[in-house]
Amino acid sequence: MSPGAAIAGEIRDRIRALKSATTPSVRRLRRHYTRSLAQSPPSIVRAVARELLRTPGWTTRLVAYELLAGHREAFASLRERDVVAMGRGLSDWGSVDLFGVTVSGPAWRMGLVSDRTVQRWAKSSDRWQRRLALVSTVALNSRARGGSGDMRRTLPVCRGLVADREDMVVKAMSWALREAVKRDAAAVRQFISKHEGHLAPRVLREVRSKLLTGRKS
């Protein structure tokens, strides 16, 4: 058994042994492995993440994504095909959002994922891939996620989805634009004015509230 597979197996066993697998309890376990793998080669951390992602469920996804994000060299060594592969098959908002703000968004910001790939997600027939495109913009603009603001890449993704009425996409649009407000309120104000006739009422209401009051509602 390879070192990566052995460590992943140990993590899976420890997750199963938790009395209650809550986000805080799983994150405590993940922090332990982030520390223990801090000096490990990037290849080992990537291998652990790959093995964990072969097990269905949000707990192993959370650990896999956050282990990668917490190991700078391993994350920087990701290739676009690695990120695309990890994003396939996501089918719930929790997994999409975790992946978007933890892996795909930061990878896009760092140039590990191309604009073309994110635009391909935005044009997908799969609502979760379209949501992923929008959520990925959050990492460009959220200070907490390491973003410094990037309207050049954020607004084209939003523009391509202004008429989408899928609920999960509408909510992600609102989130993406509200996060962008913190970086360039004037650009967002101009964007919603230009696309007012196409954007969902929820998006207009929440983004305008953010512009006026600093709050979602």
PDB file of all heavy atoms in Angstrom, residues 93-113:
ATOM      1  N   TRP A  93     -25.220  21.659  -3.019  1.00  0.00           N
ATOM      2  CA  TRP A  93     -24.671  23.004  -2.865  1.00  0.00           C
ATOM      3  C   TRP A  93     -23.512  23.059  -1.877  1.00  0.00           C
ATOM      4  O   TRP A  93     -22.562  23.825  -2.061  1.00  0.00           O
ATOM      5  CB  TRP A  93     -25.761  24.004  -2.481  1.00  0.00           C
ATOM      6  CG  TRP A  93     -26.334  23.822  -1.097  1.00  0.00           C
ATOM      7  CD1 TRP A  93     -27.457  23.142  -0.759  1.00  0.00           C
ATOM      8  CD2 TRP A  93     -25.812  24.355   0.117  1.00  0.00           C
ATOM      9  NE1 TRP A  93     -27.664  23.202   0.600  1.00  0.00           N
ATOM     10  CE2 TRP A  93     -26.678  23.955   1.167  1.00  0.00           C
ATOM     11  CE3 TRP A  93     -24.706  25.145   0.440  1.00  0.00           C
ATOM     12  CZ2 TRP A  93     -26.464  24.296   2.497  1.00  0.00           C
ATOM     13  CZ3 TRP A  93     -24.483  25.495   1.772  1.00  0.00           C
ATOM     14  CH2 TRP A  93     -25.360  25.070   2.783  1.00  0.00           C
ATOM     15  N   GLY A  94     -23.547  22.229  -0.831  1.00  0.00           N
ATOM     16  CA  GLY A  94     -22.476  22.249   0.151  1.00  0.00           C
ATOM     17  C   GLY A  94     -21.137  21.857  -0.453  1.00  0.00           C
ATOM     18  O   GLY A  94     -20.111  22.513  -0.230  1.00  0.00           O
ATOM     19  N   SER A  95     -21.134  20.779  -1.232  1.00  0.00           N
ATOM     20  CA  SER A  95     -19.896  20.320  -1.865  1.00  0.00           C
ATOM     21  C   SER A  95     -19.403  21.314  -2.914  1.00  0.00           C
ATOM     22  O   SER A  95     -18.201  21.589  -3.008  1.00  0.00           O
ATOM     23  CB  SER A  95     -20.109  18.951  -2.519  1.00  0.00           C
ATOM     24  OG  SER A  95     -20.403  17.968  -1.559  1.00  0.00           O
ATOM     25  N   VAL A  96     -20.336  21.852  -3.695  1.00  0.00           N
ATOM     26  CA  VAL A  96     -19.962  22.829  -4.721  1.00  0.00           C
ATOM     27  C   VAL A  96     -19.324  24.059  -4.084  1.00  0.00           C
ATOM     28  O   VAL A  96     -18.275  24.546  -4.515  1.00  0.00           O
ATOM     29  CB  VAL A  96     -21.188  23.235  -5.557  1.00  0.00           C
ATOM     30  CG1 VAL A  96     -20.869  24.441  -6.442  1.00  0.00           C
ATOM     31  CG2 VAL A  96     -21.648  22.070  -6.424  1.00  0.00           C
ATOM     32  N   ASP A  97     -19.969  24.557  -3.027  1.00  0.00           N
ATOM     33  CA  ASP A  97     -19.469  25.786  -2.401  1.00  0.00           C
ATOM     34  C   ASP A  97     -18.128  25.560  -1.717  1.00  0.00           C
ATOM     35  O   ASP A  97     -17.230  26.407  -1.801  1.00  0.00           O
ATOM     36  CB  ASP A  97     -20.495  26.309  -1.404  1.00  0.00           C
ATOM     37  CG  ASP A  97     -21.770  26.800  -2.087  1.00  0.00           C
ATOM     38  OD1 ASP A  97     -21.855  26.712  -3.330  1.00  0.00           O
ATOM     39  OD2 ASP A  97     -22.671  27.268  -1.384  1.00  0.00           O
ATOM     40  N   LEU A  98     -17.979  24.428  -1.052  1.00  0.00           N
ATOM     41  CA  LEU A  98     -16.706  24.118  -0.405  1.00  0.00           C
ATOM     42  C   LEU A  98     -15.598  24.015  -1.444  1.00  0.00           C
ATOM     43  O   LEU A  98     -14.513  24.590  -1.273  1.00  0.00           O
ATOM     44  CB  LEU A  98     -16.817  22.807   0.378  1.00  0.00           C
ATOM     45  CG  LEU A  98     -15.520  22.319   1.051  1.00  0.00           C
ATOM     46  CD1 LEU A  98     -15.085  23.293   2.132  1.00  0.00           C
ATOM     47  CD2 LEU A  98     -15.735  20.919   1.649  1.00  0.00           C
ATOM     48  N   PHE A  99     -15.864  23.313  -2.528  1.00  0.00           N
ATOM     49  CA  PHE A  99     -14.868  23.157  -3.580  1.00  0.00           C
ATOM     50  C   PHE A  99     -14.554  24.507  -4.233  1.00  0.00           C
ATOM     51  O   PHE A  99     -13.395  24.834  -4.501  1.00  0.00           O
ATOM     52  CB  PHE A  99     -15.365  22.170  -4.630  1.00  0.00           C
ATOM     53  CG  PHE A  99     -14.391  21.898  -5.734  1.00  0.00           C
ATOM     54  CD1 PHE A  99     -13.224  21.182  -5.485  1.00  0.00           C
ATOM     55  CD2 PHE A  99     -14.625  22.352  -7.020  1.00  0.00           C
ATOM     56  CE1 PHE A  99     -12.311  20.926  -6.508  1.00  0.00           C
ATOM     57  CE2 PHE A  99     -13.721  22.107  -8.044  1.00  0.00           C
ATOM     58  CZ  PHE A  99     -12.557  21.401  -7.782  1.00  0.00           C
ATOM     59  N   GLY A 100     -15.593  25.291  -4.483  1.00  0.00           N
ATOM     60  CA  GLY A 100     -15.402  26.569  -5.161  1.00  0.00           C
ATOM     61  C   GLY A 100     -14.540  27.551  -4.397  1.00  0.00           C
ATOM     62  O   GLY A 100     -13.658  28.189  -4.971  1.00  0.00           O
ATOM     63  N   VAL A 101     -14.783  27.668  -3.091  1.00  0.00           N
ATOM     64  CA  VAL A 101     -14.025  28.668  -2.320  1.00  0.00           C
ATOM     65  C   VAL A 101     -12.699  28.126  -1.805  1.00  0.00           C
ATOM     66  O   VAL A 101     -11.794  28.897  -1.485  1.00  0.00           O
ATOM     67  CB  VAL A 101     -14.859  29.222  -1.136  1.00  0.00           C
ATOM     68  CG1 VAL A 101     -16.118  29.909  -1.640  1.00  0.00           C
ATOM     69  CG2 VAL A 101     -15.197  28.142  -0.115  1.00  0.00           C
ATOM     70  N   THR A 102     -12.566  26.793  -1.747  1.00  0.00           N
ATOM     71  CA  THR A 102     -11.354  26.194  -1.187  1.00  0.00           C
ATOM     72  C   THR A 102     -10.364  25.760  -2.249  1.00  0.00           C
ATOM     73  O   THR A 102      -9.147  25.847  -2.045  1.00  0.00           O
ATOM     74  CB  THR A 102     -11.726  24.969  -0.311  1.00  0.00           C
ATOM     75  OG1 THR A 102     -12.711  25.351   0.643  1.00  0.00           O
ATOM     76  CG2 THR A 102     -10.507  24.421   0.427  1.00  0.00           C
ATOM     77  N   VAL A 103     -10.871  25.274  -3.389  1.00  0.00           N
ATOM     78  CA  VAL A 103      -9.970  24.728  -4.411  1.00  0.00           C
ATOM     79  C   VAL A 103     -10.074  25.467  -5.748  1.00  0.00           C
ATOM     80  O   VAL A 103      -9.112  26.108  -6.186  1.00  0.00           O
ATOM     81  CB  VAL A 103     -10.224  23.217  -4.626  1.00  0.00           C
ATOM     82  CG1 VAL A 103      -9.284  22.667  -5.709  1.00  0.00           C
ATOM     83  CG2 VAL A 103     -10.026  22.445  -3.325  1.00  0.00           C
ATOM     84  N   SER A 104     -11.225  25.392  -6.416  1.00  0.00           N
ATOM     85  CA  SER A 104     -11.280  25.912  -7.788  1.00  0.00           C
ATOM     86  C   SER A 104     -11.088  27.421  -7.856  1.00  0.00           C
ATOM     87  O   SER A 104     -10.370  27.918  -8.743  1.00  0.00           O
ATOM     88  CB  SER A 104     -12.592  25.506  -8.469  1.00  0.00           C
ATOM     89  OG  SER A 104     -13.717  26.070  -7.814  1.00  0.00           O
ATOM     90  N   GLY A 105     -11.704  28.158  -6.934  1.00  0.00           N
ATOM     91  CA  GLY A 105     -11.549  29.612  -6.941  1.00  0.00           C
ATOM     92  C   GLY A 105     -10.112  30.049  -6.696  1.00  0.00           C
ATOM     93  O   GLY A 105      -9.545  30.822  -7.489  1.00  0.00           O
ATOM     94  N   PRO A 106      -9.484  29.574  -5.604  1.00  0.00           N
ATOM     95  CA  PRO A 106      -8.075  29.919  -5.391  1.00  0.00           C
ATOM     96  C   PRO A 106      -7.161  29.456  -6.517  1.00  0.00           C
ATOM     97  O   PRO A 106      -6.216  30.153  -6.893  1.00  0.00           O
ATOM     98  CB  PRO A 106      -7.750  29.210  -4.070  1.00  0.00           C
ATOM     99  CG  PRO A 106      -9.055  29.172  -3.340  1.00  0.00           C
ATOM    100  CD  PRO A 106     -10.075  28.929  -4.421  1.00  0.00           C
ATOM    101  N   ALA A 107      -7.439  28.273  -7.086  1.00  0.00           N
ATOM    102  CA  ALA A 107      -6.614  27.786  -8.200  1.00  0.00           C
ATOM    103  C   ALA A 107      -6.758  28.700  -9.411  1.00  0.00           C
ATOM    104  O   ALA A 107      -5.775  28.984 -10.117  1.00  0.00           O
ATOM    105  CB  ALA A 107      -7.013  26.356  -8.555  1.00  0.00           C
ATOM    106  N   TRP A 108      -7.946  29.169  -9.671  1.00  0.00           N
ATOM    107  CA  TRP A 108      -8.188  30.115 -10.769  1.00  0.00           C
ATOM    108  C   TRP A 108      -7.437  31.421 -10.510  1.00  0.00           C
ATOM    109  O   TRP A 108      -6.756  31.945 -11.392  1.00  0.00           O
ATOM    110  CB  TRP A 108      -9.691  30.353 -10.868  1.00  0.00           C
ATOM    111  CG  TRP A 108     -10.158  31.217 -11.994  1.00  0.00           C
ATOM    112  CD1 TRP A 108      -9.524  31.441 -13.189  1.00  0.00           C
ATOM    113  CD2 TRP A 108     -11.379  31.947 -12.044  1.00  0.00           C
ATOM    114  NE1 TRP A 108     -10.277  32.283 -13.973  1.00  0.00           N
ATOM    115  CE2 TRP A 108     -11.415  32.608 -13.302  1.00  0.00           C
ATOM    116  CE3 TRP A 108     -12.442  32.110 -11.153  1.00  0.00           C
ATOM    117  CZ2 TRP A 108     -12.492  33.418 -13.668  1.00  0.00           C
ATOM    118  CZ3 TRP A 108     -13.504  32.915 -11.526  1.00  0.00           C
ATOM    119  CH2 TRP A 108     -13.539  33.553 -12.772  1.00  0.00           C
ATOM    120  N   ARG A 109      -7.544  31.909  -9.292  1.00  0.00           N
ATOM    121  CA  ARG A 109      -6.863  33.154  -8.932  1.00  0.00           C
ATOM    122  C   ARG A 109      -5.347  33.050  -9.138  1.00  0.00           C
ATOM    123  O   ARG A 109      -4.691  33.997  -9.557  1.00  0.00           O
ATOM    124  CB  ARG A 109      -7.163  33.487  -7.467  1.00  0.00           C
ATOM    125  CG  ARG A 109      -6.682  34.866  -7.026  1.00  0.00           C
ATOM    126  CD  ARG A 109      -7.001  35.111  -5.562  1.00  0.00           C
ATOM    127  NE  ARG A 109      -6.266  34.219  -4.689  1.00  0.00           N
ATOM    128  CZ  ARG A 109      -6.802  33.488  -3.710  1.00  0.00           C
ATOM    129  NH1 ARG A 109      -8.111  33.509  -3.501  1.00  0.00           N
ATOM    130  NH2 ARG A 109      -6.046  32.720  -2.953  1.00  0.00           N
ATOM    131  N   MET A 110      -4.793  31.871  -8.845  1.00  0.00           N
ATOM    132  CA  MET A 110      -3.352  31.655  -8.964  1.00  0.00           C
ATOM    133  C   MET A 110      -2.903  31.318 -10.385  1.00  0.00           C
ATOM    134  O   MET A 110      -1.716  31.153 -10.643  1.00  0.00           O
ATOM    135  CB  MET A 110      -2.937  30.518  -8.028  1.00  0.00           C
ATOM    136  CG  MET A 110      -3.083  30.856  -6.549  1.00  0.00           C
ATOM    137  SD  MET A 110      -2.904  29.384  -5.487  1.00  0.00           S
ATOM    138  CE  MET A 110      -1.208  28.896  -5.885  1.00  0.00           C
ATOM    139  N   GLY A 111      -3.870  31.195 -11.302  1.00  0.00           N
ATOM    140  CA  GLY A 111      -3.520  30.865 -12.679  1.00  0.00           C
ATOM    141  C   GLY A 111      -3.364  29.382 -12.940  1.00  0.00           C
ATOM    142  O   GLY A 111      -2.898  28.985 -14.019  1.00  0.00           O
ATOM    143  N   LEU A 112      -3.768  28.553 -11.985  1.00  0.00           N
ATOM    144  CA  LEU A 112      -3.690  27.107 -12.172  1.00  0.00           C
ATOM    145  C   LEU A 112      -4.868  26.597 -12.992  1.00  0.00           C
ATOM    146  O   LEU A 112      -4.809  25.494 -13.549  1.00  0.00           O
ATOM    147  CB  LEU A 112      -3.664  26.395 -10.815  1.00  0.00           C
ATOM    148  CG  LEU A 112      -2.552  26.827  -9.839  1.00  0.00           C
ATOM    149  CD1 LEU A 112      -2.719  26.122  -8.503  1.00  0.00           C
ATOM    150  CD2 LEU A 112      -1.180  26.541 -10.440  1.00  0.00           C
ATOM    151  N   VAL A 113      -5.930  27.363 -13.027  1.00  0.00           N
ATOM    152  CA  VAL A 113      -7.123  27.058 -13.827  1.00  0.00           C
ATOM    153  C   VAL A 113      -7.353  28.244 -14.752  1.00  0.00           C
ATOM    154  O   VAL A 113      -7.234  29.403 -14.336  1.00  0.00           O
ATOM    155  CB  VAL A 113      -8.349  26.827 -12.917  1.00  0.00           C
ATOM    156  CG1 VAL A 113      -9.634  26.803 -13.722  1.00  0.00           C
ATOM    157  CG2 VAL A 113      -8.199  25.530 -12.141  1.00  0.00           C
TER     158      VAL A 113
END
